[in-house]
Amino acid sequence: MSHRASLLGRGYQDNHLDSPRVRFRRALLLCLMTIAVPGSGHIAAGRRGIGWFAVTVWLGVLSAGGYLLWKVRTDRAQVLGWFTDPDMLLLARAGMVVVAVLWVALFVDAWRLGSPFRLNFGRAAVITVINLTIITGVAGSAAYASQLIQVSRETVKTVFKATATSAPLKGRYNILLVGSDARSDRTGVRPDSLTVASIDADTGKVVLVSLPRNLQNVPFSEGSPMRTVYPYGFNCVPDCLLNAVHTTAENRTDLYPDSKDPGLDATIDAVQGVTNLTINYFVMVNLDGFKGLVDAVGGVTMDVKTRIAMFGHDDAYKNLYIEPGEQKLDGQKALWYARSRVQSDDYTRMGRQKCLMAAMTAQLSPQTVLLNATEIAKSGKELLSTNIPAKELGQFADLALKSRGQKIRTVSVVPPRFSPVTPDFPAIQAAIQKAIDKSEGVAAPNPSATPDTSGRASNNADDLNATC
């Protein structure tokens, strides 16, 4: 081969390596490498300094993710605690923004290295659109996640601002769930529902203990300031019902000088006296705010046993009902499902409330929470007030995950088993302890767990989900 032919061959090879098709493939490969291993494309293109820095950061992110996965398997509660700690959330938000900005910068530089201006218009447009789509996805995801973290952080700081912790007693946390019906047209807070969630601190097994609003002669726990005023129980019939304790004591700063809410503290003392359970924490749920939570998660599916009125005694002309059958309830209907007493009674309503709590717990999957997290966090500010400190959220989130799929046992102080007018408190306490004992061991099936149409079977059942 002549010298001229050799030069022609070399020129052909150089032109081939720099042909439009090869340049297009190179630009596309740079983009794909930046997606798979940020920085690897820059190393291949000779930009080793930037490339190795990006690869090092990426390996650090992967190592952190691997550590989190390992930690979830060994101490899930601690990891959940990190994700509910305001300082950790702020740090995570800052780190995520920095990583996102660096990644976007890498894509821009990878696009530049791909020499799009040396491609024809069609290929340059494809490379540009691909990079812009990726950049928009990364930036948009980072912005959404950043906003989500910020809303969650503000919710934790606003709602879970208490600092005092309470250790489990006899291996159980007892949390008082108070349904508040406080409105501008009512004086004081009259708890619409009072339920103690007794949770095994190791397994997450739950026993729900419900007390009717019209329970009479309730005793106050040992050492309660209200016990000095009512040594023989809250017995000023007919007005001294359980749900009136809050209103009676709400201004008694003489009895509870260090309390921010004497009425609530007095109510807790009454619940402890009735159940013989020491209350670790309370969660007060604003029932009107509850609508926002249900709507935020896209509704809740319920098997409605009987027709439920969506009106009170003063607006019966509305003649609106929730019809029987399995259906998805929005926030407004879910609130009526939980609160309606027209053509019903307090005890049937208590059963429906338990079924609603069980349904919400079962249907709030991690995917649902993630997709609706911003709205859930916003509704939480209006929905809850509690003395659970932020540092305990990881522990309770872990217990909530453990409880999924397990039987929820229930005890309710309702007729015919218990009389709200002349209650036998030792018998009530014995029934509660028996349910706790059965929850911690192996219990025989309860006949009351058979589904019925009255709505009351869920008040005393060994398996709430089966009853509902």
Side-chain angles (χ1 to χ4, degrees):
M1 182 182 296
S2 67
H3 178 66
R4 179 180 177 82
S6 177
L7 289 175
L8 287 173
R10 187 182 307 158
Y12 171 80
Q13 291 176 356
D14 290 343
N15 289 336
H16 174 70
L17 291 175
D18 198 38
S19 68
R21 178 178 297 178
V22 172
R23 286 199 300 270
F24 175 71
R25 290 177 179 175
R26 186 187 301 126
L28 187 60
L29 184 61
L30 278 170
C31 175
L32 295 176
M33 291 176 74
T34 304
I35 295 174
V37 182
S40 60
H42 285 70
I43 295 174
R47 304 272 291 180
R48 296 182 179 276
I50 294 176
W52 281 114
F53 173 77
V55 168
T56 301
V57 172
W58 183 243
L59 290 175
V61 171
L62 291 179
S63 297
Y67 174 75
L68 278 177
L69 290 175
W70 171 79
K71 196 68 177 175
V72 165
R73 293 177 177 272
T74 58
D75 191 353
R76 184 173 59 183
Q78 184 174 7
V79 175
L80 292 171
W82 291 341
F83 283 99
T84 52
D85 180 271
D87 295 332
M88 290 295 292
L89 288 173
L90 181 61
L91 182 63
R93 186 186 187 202
M96 183 195 61
V97 170
V98 169
V99 169
V101 169
L102 291 176
W103 206 1
V104 167
L106 278 179
F107 279 114
V108 173
D109 200 43
W111 172 81
R112 181 187 64 81
L113 291 174
S115 303
F117 298 113
R118 297 181 62 195
L119 302 173
N120 62 38
F121 178 80
R123 287 169 173 158
V126 170
I127 292 297
T128 301
V129 168
I130 290 175
N131 275 275
L132 284 176
T133 301
I134 295 170
I135 289 170
T136 302
V138 171
S141 299
Y144 174 78
S146 177
Q147 175 63 18
L148 174 59
I149 292 174
Q150 179 61 18
V151 172
S152 300
R153 183 171 179 268
E154 289 301 319
T155 300
V156 171
K157 291 175 63 178
T158 302
V159 178
F160 301 94
K161 53 191 176 183
T163 57
T165 60
S166 178
L169 183 64
K170 297 181 180 179
R172 302 190 74 83
Y173 287 104
N174 299 309
I175 302 175
L176 176 61
L177 309 176
V178 183
S180 169
D181 68 347
R183 298 199 305 262
S184 58
D185 61 343
R186 290 191 175 184
T187 301
V189 175
R190 290 180 177 268
D192 191 77
S193 63
L194 291 165
T195 300
V196 178
S198 183
I199 308 168
D200 189 292
D202 294 321
T203 66
K205 291 181 179 180
V206 178
V207 175
L208 295 178
V209 180
S210 293
L211 306 179
R213 59 202 290 274
N214 61 338
L215 191 62
Q216 298 183 23
N217 301 313
V218 295
F220 293 95
S221 57
E222 197 75 39
S224 167
M226 287 289 281
R227 189 160 178 160
T228 63
V229 181
Y230 301 97
Y232 304 107
F234 197 51
N235 58 359
C236 47
V237 177
D239 298 321
C240 286
L241 308 178
L242 176 58
N243 75 328
V245 171
H246 193 289
T247 303
T248 301
E250 64 182 346
N251 294 318
R252 296 301 301 266
T253 53
D254 57 322
L255 297 177
Y256 298 89
D258 300 322
S259 174
K260 295 180 180 179
D261 188 344
L264 179 59
D265 286 340
T267 300
I268 291 173
D269 288 347
V271 170
Q272 291 183 147
V274 172
T275 63
N276 198 32
L277 297 175
T278 299
I279 301 300
N280 296 93
Y281 300 108
F282 76 86
V283 176
M284 183 173 286
V285 180
N286 181 304
L287 294 181
D288 283 331
F290 175 75
K291 292 187 296 184
L293 175 63
V294 175
D295 287 332
V297 299
V300 56
T301 300
M302 299 298 305
D303 183 8
V304 181
K305 305 293 186 183
T306 59
R307 202 181 196 205
I308 297 172
M310 293 181 62
F311 51 83
H313 294 290
D314 297 330
D315 56 358
Y317 62 88
K318 292 182 178 179
N319 201 34
L320 296 174
Y321 293 88
I322 303 173
E323 298 297 337
E326 185 172 307
Q327 57 195 283
K328 178 167 284 190
L329 306 181
D330 61 14
Q332 181 71 8
K333 287 185 176 180
L335 185 60
W336 277 110
Y337 178 89
R339 299 193 66 187
S340 181
R341 284 188 294 155
V342 172
Q343 302 173 9
S344 182
D345 56 37
D346 275 329
Y347 313 121
T348 302
R349 180 175 72 162
M350 288 168 64
R352 294 199 307 267
Q353 289 171 352
K354 290 188 185 66
C355 289
L356 185 59
M357 283 191 285
M360 289 289 289
T361 300
Q363 295 173 35
L364 277 179
S365 66
Q367 295 89 341
T368 301
V369 172
L370 181 61
L371 292 174
N372 302 280
T374 301
E375 294 303 317
I376 292 173
K378 288 179 180 178
S379 69
K381 294 181 181 180
E382 303 173 355
L383 176 69
L384 300 177
S385 60
T386 181
N387 63 343
I388 297 177
K391 66 179 69 174
E392 291 279 68
L393 290 180
Q395 168 75 2
F396 285 117
D398 184 52
L399 290 175
L401 291 175
K402 288 180 179 178
S403 70
R404 290 176 63 86
Q406 298 201 55
K407 292 181 178 180
I408 300 175
R409 287 180 167 79
T410 64
V411 177
S412 296
V413 182
V414 298
R417 188 177 185 186
F418 301 108
S419 168
V421 178
T422 57
D424 183 344
F425 293 109
I428 292 170
Q429 294 166 7
I432 293 171
Q433 188 57 53
K434 182 179 179 181
I436 290 175
D437 291 341
K438 291 171 72 175
S439 174
E440 293 176 345
V442 178
N446 187 340
S448 67
T450 302
D452 75 337
T453 58
S454 70
R456 288 197 184 187
S458 52
N459 279 320
N460 293 283
D462 284 338
D463 187 351
L464 179 59
N465 288 317
T467 303
C468 294

